[in-house]
Amino acid sequence: MQNYISGFLDADGSITLSKERASAKFRTIKIDFSNTELSILKEIQEYLSSNGISSFISTKPAKKKTHSVSYALSVGSNQMCIKLCNLLKSKHP
């Protein structure tokens, strides 16, 4: 499962560094996995949870009639992101 999630991150994931609020001194790492198949993200979320990594899933509405609703699974704290990278043995830049 680790290799699957690592590949999923490379294909449909993103790693960002941002401030939680404008007044914050430090930036926070956030890792997102995006997909139109909610069941895939739920399976990844269950695996992460079983390894002590908390995450949440949000819905992204379709921007056009021809687009599908999509979902994002997010790991949003520095500590959890580091745990995830260690779990995946990630070499992602």
Side-chain angles (χ1 to χ4, degrees):
M1 185 69 155
Q2 293 167 334
N3 290 336
Y4 176 80
I5 295 172
S6 185
F8 198 93
L9 176 61
D10 288 341
D12 290 323
S14 65
I15 300 174
T16 56
L17 192 60
S18 61
K19 291 184 178 182
E20 289 185 14
R21 56 190 178 279
S23 63
K25 282 186 172 183
F26 302 103
R27 295 178 185 262
T28 301
I29 301 168
K30 184 177 176 192
I31 299 176
D32 292 311
F33 300 86
S34 298
N35 205 281
T36 57
E37 292 293 328
L38 181 58
S39 60
I40 293 171
L41 295 178
K42 283 187 175 184
E43 189 172 333
I44 292 171
Q45 186 179 40
E46 286 177 30
Y47 180 78
L48 296 180
S49 180
S50 71
N51 284 280
I53 299 169
S54 58
S55 62
F56 62 93
I57 296 176
S58 58
T59 303
K60 297 179 177 180
K63 292 181 180 179
K64 297 181 180 179
K65 289 181 183 180
T66 56
H67 292 175
S68 299
V69 171
S70 63
Y71 305 93
L73 181 140
S74 301
V75 177
S77 77
N78 291 349
Q79 184 179 25
M80 290 297 123
C81 289
I82 290 167
K83 271 181 109 169
L84 175 58
C85 289
N86 288 335
L87 175 69
L88 301 179
K89 297 175 178 65
S90 179
K91 294 179 178 55
H92 201 289

